Every structure is written in C-alpha cells, then in structure tokens.
C-alpha cells in the first residue's frame, strides 16, 4: 500500500481539468517519471506557482469536479511521481477517480461544507493530513489544531488501494 | 420496472459483482491509440504479462500525432506497431491507413448495437451512437481490458433527453450538444449515461448522432447513447449483410437494445429545439455557451475543421457548401482535417478538397493533432481558434490560446469573415 500522509497543497478552484494537471504536449513521454517537472504547469489559479507551491506536498485538497476532461492516466501519474497519493475533493470526474484507485491511490470525496471548513481553517497554514483507511478517518493537523474527519470509501476502491491497484487484483481474480 | 439500454447491456455482459455496485463486464471491443496504450504495453511487459485476451477484439490506430513529429512520438508509434504485430492484431491502422479513432473504428464496422467498448480516450462515448455502451478509461483499465477482456463499472444511472421539433437550417447536432452541455453543466452527468432520444435524433444521420454522443463526456457523462434504428442498420449493412437475410431482420435483432418505456431515469429532460440558434463556447469550460449571434464579431486567428466530433464527410460537405466560391479572410488561417482516409478520398471525389484549397484552407492528413495542441495547428500565445473540436480548456490547442467550439457551418462562415459568424448569413 502507498503512503497517504504529509503536507497539504490547497487548490481553491473547481473543474480543474487533466490538461491543467498535465498538458497534452507531455503525453509523448513513455515513462511516468518523465512527467515529474510538469505537474499543474497550466493550472489557471491566481498566485499559483507550480515550481514552488507543490514542493514537499503529498496531499491535495481541492473543490468540485477535479480531473475532468481527458482520460489520461498521466494526471494521477504526474501526482504520484511528485509524491502526491491522495486527492480530497467535493467530487471527481469519473475516469480520473477510477484511474486514482486503479493505481492504488486515494480520491476522497467530502461534502462541500466539510471542504469549506478545511479551506477556512487550514488553508494558508502549515497543514498536514494523514489518511487512516482502516478507520475511514482524515486526520488533519496544523500548528494550533488537530482533528479527525470521517470519509466514505467503497469496498472495491478500498480493496484496490490495499492491493496496490487494479492490474494485480484483476490478474489474480479473473 | 423496465430497464434502460445501458442496464440491458450490463445484464448481458456481467461477469460478476465482486463488491456492491461494482459490475465487472465482459468487453466486446478494446480500442487502442498510440498515446495511452504504449505505457500499458510496457507495464504488461515489465510484469511478464505481455498477452492479449483476444487479438480479434482489439483494434489499434496511430492517430494523435501522425506522421510522427519527433523521436518520442516515433517511439510511441513503434511500441504500438510492434505490439500489434507480435500479438497478431490484424486491425492495426498505421500511417497512410490511419484516421481519428472515433471516426475510423465505426467506419470499419467495428461497433455494433449492444456492444461493450473501452478505450484509453475520453471521447470513446462517441460509439454509443450505435446503441453500444462505450466508455473512456485510463491506461490501467485499458491494460486490464487488453489482458483479460473485462472492465469494472458502477451501475449506469441514466439521464434521458427527449428532443422534439426540428432543427432550423444552419443549426446542427453540434449546436444541440453545446446547448445540452450548457443545461447540464460540466459535471451534470458525472457517472451517468446520457440517452439522446426523440424525433430530432430519429431524423439524424449516424454522423450527427456521433457528434451528439462524442461530447457526453464534456458534461461528465460516461457514455452517450442513441437507440439503434434503420439508420443504424443502413450504416452497418455492408458489414452485417451476411448475418441477416434482410435489413428488417437486423433491425428486429438490434431493437432489443432499446430502453423500456417504464425504465427508471435519474432525470428526464424534454425540449422542443425548433427555436435553437447556432451555439458557440466562450471561456475555458465547455458549458460556457452562448448563441453565435451573441458572440459574433469575436476576432479569431485560426479556423479548424476536423476531429472526432466534426471531421466526418457530412461535416466537410456542410462546411464546403458555405466556403464554395469564397475566400477565407486575410486575417485568419484555416485548416481542415478529414477524419479518415476514406473521408478524405470521398471529399476529393466530391470536389470538396478543391473547394477548401481554392478558399485558402490548408488540408491536412487525418489526425487528432491540433485538437489537443500536439501537432498540425497548434496556437501561439494569445491566439483564438474557431474550432469544430470538443474542448475549450485553457491552452488546449496551445499554451495561452483560446478555443471557441462551434459547428462546421459556423467555423466555415467564421473563416470567411475572420470573426465568429452565423452561417445563416450565407444561406438563401
């Protein structure tokens, strides 16, 4: 199982598409590692600098419909090779969400009010998140506060995360 | 309670349900292209699992960057080519015989009503036009599809559109789907199938139905679906004539892939579309849609007619009918990319290519290239493109560029004027 813990990158925008996560011109790469420098290169978000802001971040918190657009699994891969194995959002595009779990990564949905709470209380601070997948808890911590937030994950998704992805599971079960 | 077409297809293909709401389906087709497949191939090789479940059900094409533009794209093509050869995948379409995947695979008769299809491409939803369940997937799903011929899905909740009336002259399937995306928003159909029904769809060609279904993903939809009818049978007849005595027999067989009258829907939308105007996008999301009249006079630098949305013969005929005996504006450059070699040949025979060239268009070989800013028509920073493609994301056709999505008719009129223009201006 991958590691689901670390510093948080907050992206306060809905409908961040896979072209923004990894532009099409980099789809000519044939290794995941080659995508590393280009994560979120074309993100439209005021004040965001993809070279500096993603440094040392391993959990991404954002708004609705994250990962819409192209089916490119290069989007989760670009996150993965930058150490980001968890995205928490109000909702995800279907293909992106499935790609995350297929790679043994976590795409966690939270209601809008809980996300708003996270943005209000933890964005702009030195915030860390640890996912406890067995207890379905998001443990969020900053300098002055710490708390647990419940989340739901389906049995299939949880199995993929625990078994490290869909290829291994499918090969041993089908 | 009756069933939707998607539920019926699921029932006919379900292998099992390993977990609640996890339907593992048997696949009839796995389509592949050179952008998302090579990493699946190299991963299978690395795992010592370089196998395919059935080489006759896998179809592959080089379409995104073709001919190769550099060493990297040449390598992607080579990985796909070598793999197809190694596994006896006969339906592999290499340079010269290749076209845009969602145009060439239907054209070759690979899609049938009731089929399950996946591809590592979000616009795979196009093939639902034939009454199939066709879904875009990532490379891992594709990899398992190649290896095992299966894919897992959640229950196909369905939204139904009943489209009544008739489209005005100058208004096409593209205008209709832009209007529908505006109504649904970019995630209004996430995790859902969209059925397109009603007299307007019944009267549409397969090409127009593919345009509708192609953009289901822009509202988040898993698949767009039209019910098979005699139009579907006619399109497929040359491929199925040995299976059925008559077209009526084929229709009878395919008619089982239709939703029951008492099927359950997440939501049903009913519109009379007789007053719909030509539509165009603004901004960077495909649900940012206005009428062409509201956007007219918006300056453009490039016009692009092509893609899996609107690069078929019907699209070229419509555009050529507007361009004929006219010149494009000196303020723009214009590109037309017939979506397959067969479309290109037919366009040549019908004199359409000559019309485009006389008007000042660049005619390219079939490729996806410009649509996603990979080749054959990339925008410069600050430029705007009037495009018949399917995505207007920021920088989609080139960093810093803007894309206005529209029908081939609107794109043709816009090429003449050098700004977004209603094609109805040119029709008597």
């Amino acid at each position: 199982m991958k590691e689901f813990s670390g510093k948080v990158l907050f992206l306060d925008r809905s409908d961040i598409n896979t072209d923004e996560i990894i532009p099409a011109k980099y789809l000519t790469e044939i290794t995941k590692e080659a995508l590393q420098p280009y994560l979120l290169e074309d993100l439209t978000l005021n004040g965001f600098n993809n070279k500096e802001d993603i440094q040392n971040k391993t959990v991404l918190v954002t708004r609705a419909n994250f990962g819409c657009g192209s089916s490119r699994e290069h989007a989760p891969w670009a996150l993965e090779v930058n150490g980001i194995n968890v995205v928490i959002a109000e909702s995800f595009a279907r293909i992106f969400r499935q790609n995350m779990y297929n790679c043994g990564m976590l795409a966690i949905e939270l209601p809008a009010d809980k996300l708003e709470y996270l943005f209000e209380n933890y964005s702009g601070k030195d915030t860390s998140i640890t996912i406890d997948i067995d207890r379905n808890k998001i443990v969020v911590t900053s300098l002055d506060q710490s708390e647990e937030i419940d989340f739901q994950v389906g049995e299939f998704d949880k199995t993929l995360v625990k078994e490290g992805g869909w290829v291994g599971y499918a090969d041993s079960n089908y | 309670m009756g069933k939707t077409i998607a539920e019926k297809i699921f029932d006919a293909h379900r292998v099992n349900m390993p977990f609640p709401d996890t339907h593992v389906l048997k696949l009839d087709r796995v389509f592949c292209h050179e952008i998302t497949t090579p990493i699946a191939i190299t991963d299978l090789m690395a795992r010592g699992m370089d196998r395919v479940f059935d080489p006759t059900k896998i179809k592959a094409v080089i379409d995104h960057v073709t001919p190769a533009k550099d060493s990297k794209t040449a390598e992607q093509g080579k990985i796909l080519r070598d793999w197809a050869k190694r596994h006896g995948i006969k339906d592999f379409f290499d340079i010269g015989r290749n076209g845009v995947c969602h145009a060439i695979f239907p054209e070759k008769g690979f899609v049938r009503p009731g089929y399950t299809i996946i591809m590592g491409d979000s616009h795979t939803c196009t093939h639902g036009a034939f009454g199939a369940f066709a879904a875009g997937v990532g490379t891992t799903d594709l990899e398992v599809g190649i290896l095992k011929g299966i894919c897992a899905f959640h229950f196909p909740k369905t939204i139904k559109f009943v489209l009544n009336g008739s489209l005005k002259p100058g208004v096409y399937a593209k205008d209709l789907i832009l209007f529908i995306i505006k109504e649904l928003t970019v995630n209004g159909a996430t995790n859902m199938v969209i059925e397109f029904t009603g007299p307007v769809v019944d009267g549409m060609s397969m090409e127009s139905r593919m345009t509708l279904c192609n953009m289901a993903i822009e509202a988040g939809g898993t698949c767009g679906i039209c019910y098979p009818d005699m139009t579907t049978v006619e399109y497929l007849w040359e491929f199925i004539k040995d299976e059925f005595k008559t077209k009526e027999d084929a229709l009878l067989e395919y008619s089982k892939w239709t939703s029951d009258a008492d099927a359950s829907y997440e939501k049903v939308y009913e519109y009379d579309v007789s007053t719909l105007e030509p539509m165009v996008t603004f901004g960077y999301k495909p649900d940012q849609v206005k009428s062409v009249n509201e956007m007219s006079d918006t300056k453009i630098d490039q016009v692009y007619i092509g893609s899996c949305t609107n690069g078929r013969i019907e699209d070229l005929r419509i555009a050529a009918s507007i361009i004929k005996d006219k010149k494009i504006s000196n303020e723009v450059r214009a590109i037309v990319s017939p979506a397959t070699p067969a479309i290109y040949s037919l366009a040549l025979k019908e004199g359409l290519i000559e019309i485009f060239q006389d008007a000042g268009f660049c005619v390219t070989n079939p490729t996806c290239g410009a649509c996603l800013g990979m080749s054959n028509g990339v925008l410069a920073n600050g430029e705007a493109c009037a495009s018949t493609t399917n995505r207007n994301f920021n920088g989609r056709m080139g960093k810093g560029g803007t894309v206005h999505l529209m029908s081939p008719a609107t794109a043709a009129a816009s090429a003449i004027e050098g700004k977004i223009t209603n094609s109805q201006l040119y029709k008597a």
Side-chain angles (χ1 to χ4, degrees):
Chain A
M1 199 165 69
K2 294 187 190 305
E3 195 169 317
F4 304 114
S5 179
K7 301 282 184 205
V8 181
L9 169 65
F10 286 91
L11 297 178
D12 192 4
R13 215 200 83 194
S14 289
D15 305 315
I16 292 175
N17 64 61
T18 53
D19 277 70
E20 292 177 280
I21 299 169
I22 185 78
K25 63 186 173 197
Y26 302 121
L27 304 186
T28 60
E29 300 295 345
I30 52 168
T31 66
K32 299 174 186 181
E33 291 70 24
L35 304 172
Q36 194 273 331
Y38 312 119
L39 176 65
L40 293 165
E41 184 180 278
D42 279 356
L43 179 65
T44 308
L45 185 65
N46 272 345
F48 178 76
N49 179 319
N50 85 309
K51 294 285 179 285
E52 293 167 10
D53 294 355
I54 62 176
Q55 290 291 322
N56 305 318
K57 304 292 184 356
T58 55
V59 175
L60 199 167
V61 176
T62 182
R63 300 285 187 174
N65 199 31
F66 186 78
C68 58
S70 156
S71 66
R72 64 190 68 161
E73 203 160 304
H74 306 69
W77 297 334
L79 293 167
E80 184 184 12
V81 296
N82 278 282
I84 299 173
N85 291 326
V86 189
V87 182
I88 301 171
E90 185 186 334
S91 60
F92 293 93
R94 178 190 65 87
I95 304 173
F96 176 86
R97 186 185 182 287
Q98 193 61 49
N99 287 346
M100 289 285 287
Y101 284 103
N102 282 348
C103 292
M105 299 160 75
L106 273 171
I108 295 174
E109 280 127 342
L110 282 186
D113 59 333
K114 283 192 185 174
L115 265 175
E116 183 56 35
Y117 176 82
L118 277 180
F119 270 94
E120 266 186 23
N121 291 278
Y122 290 96
S123 176
K125 296 180 184 172
D126 186 17
T127 299
S128 295
I129 278 179
T130 296
I131 307 299
D132 186 336
I133 192 161
D134 291 318
R135 291 169 57 240
N136 285 12
K137 302 277 188 200
I138 298 167
V139 184
V140 54
T141 311
S142 71
L143 272 178
D144 50 354
Q145 61 190 130
S146 180
E147 60 196 301
E148 293 188 342
I149 295 170
D150 295 329
F151 71 96
Q152 304 289 322
V153 58
E155 283 182 54
F156 180 50
D157 295 335
K158 193 180 263 195
T159 303
L160 294 181
V161 170
K162 294 206 162 184
E163 304 218 355
W166 174 225
V167 177
Y169 180 83
D171 189 50
S172 49
N173 288 276
Y174 293 94
Chain B
M1 181 61 78
K3 290 182 172 166
T4 63
I5 174 172
E7 289 177 72
K8 290 180 186 182
I9 295 173
F10 270 45
D11 286 349
H13 291 81
R14 193 177 291 101
V15 177
N16 70 349
M17 287 183 65
F19 301 99
D21 193 24
T22 305
H23 304 250
V24 175
L25 306 185
K26 191 163 73 70
L27 298 171
D28 296 305
R29 290 282 181 264
V30 176
F31 292 156
C32 302
H33 65 52
E34 89 282 14
I35 296 295
T36 53
T37 315
I39 293 187
I41 295 169
T42 52
D43 190 63
L44 284 171
M45 291 170 77
R47 291 172 186 265
M49 291 162 26
D50 182 23
R51 304 186 297 270
V52 302
F53 82 107
D54 183 343
T56 66
K57 290 181 178 169
I58 298 174
K59 315 290 176 184
V61 66
I62 295 175
D63 63 355
H64 274 56
V65 184
T66 174
K69 65 175 180 180
D70 55 17
S71 300
K72 285 180 178 174
T73 50
E75 183 64 22
Q76 288 180 308
K78 184 176 191 306
I79 292 171
L80 193 68
R81 184 180 297 120
D82 291 349
W83 170 76
K85 195 171 181 185
R86 188 160 75 239
H87 293 289
I89 296 165
K90 293 205 168 60
D91 292 313
F92 167 62
F93 300 93
D94 208 335
I95 297 167
R97 284 150 286 166
N98 56 347
V100 174
C101 52
H102 307 307
I104 199 166
F105 291 145
E107 183 185 283
K108 296 287 179 185
F110 296 152
V111 182
R112 305 291 166 80
Y115 269 16
T116 50
I117 302 168
I118 63 164
M119 179 171 194
D121 191 286
S122 63
H123 293 106
T124 306
C125 49
T126 311
H127 307 286
F130 291 81
F133 177 79
V137 297
T139 292
T140 301
D141 271 336
L142 180 73
E143 190 172 333
V144 170
I146 287 168
L147 186 66
K148 299 282 179 180
I150 56 164
C151 193
F153 291 97
H154 295 298
F155 179 80
K157 284 189 283 187
T158 302
I159 294 175
K160 179 177 177 174
F161 277 84
V162 184
L163 302 166
N164 298 315
S166 57
L167 295 175
K168 287 198 289 200
V171 181
Y172 300 94
K174 182 61 162 287
D175 303 299
L176 189 49
I177 190 62
L178 289 174
F179 165 75
I180 287 171
I181 295 162
K182 181 188 179 197
E183 295 297 299
L184 284 172
T185 77
V186 287
N187 60 351
T190 300
N191 296 318
M192 288 185 252
V193 169
I194 308 174
E195 281 185 13
F196 299 105
T197 74
V200 173
V201 182
D202 296 342
M204 276 184 182
S205 65
M206 288 313 297
E207 285 83 355
S208 288
R209 293 178 194 182
M210 284 190 259
T211 301
L212 271 189
C213 292
N214 174 270
M215 291 188 72
I217 183 69
E218 308 315 328
T222 305
C223 182
I225 289 190
C226 302
Y227 302 155
D229 61 6
M230 196 44 103
T231 304
T232 320
V233 171
E234 294 278 3
Y235 185 99
L236 291 173
W237 186 244
E238 65 167 299
F239 307 105
I240 61 173
K241 58 181 188 287
D242 295 335
E243 293 172 42
F244 300 100
K245 273 190 192 150
T246 65
K247 291 176 181 173
E248 285 68 28
D249 288 349
L251 182 60
L252 191 66
E253 168 65 17
Y254 290 157
S255 294
K256 68 184 182 191
W257 304 115
T258 304
S259 296
D260 296 327
D262 58 344
S264 168
Y265 290 96
E266 193 70 10
K267 195 163 178 187
V268 177
Y269 295 81
E270 189 156 1
Y271 293 105
D272 185 325
V273 297
S274 304
T275 58
L276 187 72
E277 292 290 327
M279 306 301 270
V280 58
T281 62
F282 62 98
Y284 298 121
K285 295 197 298 172
D287 62 356
Q288 292 178 296
V289 175
K290 287 182 180 175
S291 74
V292 167
N293 289 339
E294 286 174 278
M295 288 287 288
S296 64
D297 297 339
T298 304
K299 200 182 156 334
I300 49 170
D301 302 287
Q302 177 172 295
V303 172
Y304 183 78
I305 298 174
S307 85
C308 58
T309 319
N310 283 121
R312 300 185 180 84
I313 191 66
E314 176 181 292
D315 303 311
L316 302 195
R317 284 174 186 150
I318 290 165
S321 74
I322 290 160
I323 292 284
K324 191 170 171 21
D325 300 327
K326 296 191 179 65
K327 301 282 181 202
I328 65 168
S329 160
N330 286 329
E331 302 297 312
V332 299
R333 72 262 181 189
I335 300 165
V336 58
S337 181
T340 70
I343 294 166
Y344 199 136
S345 295
L346 194 54
L348 262 175
K349 257 184 222 156
E350 294 182 8
L352 310 182
I353 298 296
E354 196 177 351
I355 291 170
F356 284 116
Q357 289 199 319
D358 286 350
F361 269 75
C362 163
V363 183
T364 80
N365 63 299
T367 175
C368 312
C371 170
L372 68 167
M374 290 192 88
S375 64
N376 289 43
V378 180
L379 298 179
N381 188 32
E383 288 189 327
C385 185
S387 180
T388 68
T389 55
N390 43 49
R391 286 202 174 120
N392 57 339
F393 296 161
N394 191 8
R396 169 79 176 178
M397 294 182 78
K399 198 174 176 82
T402 303
V403 182
H404 297 287
L405 306 176
M406 59 185 70
S407 73
T410 308
S414 303
I416 298 165
E417 299 294 327
K419 58 190 183 184
I420 293 177
T421 302
N422 192 330
S423 74
Q424 290 162 333
L425 193 71
Y426 293 100
K427 291 280 178 179

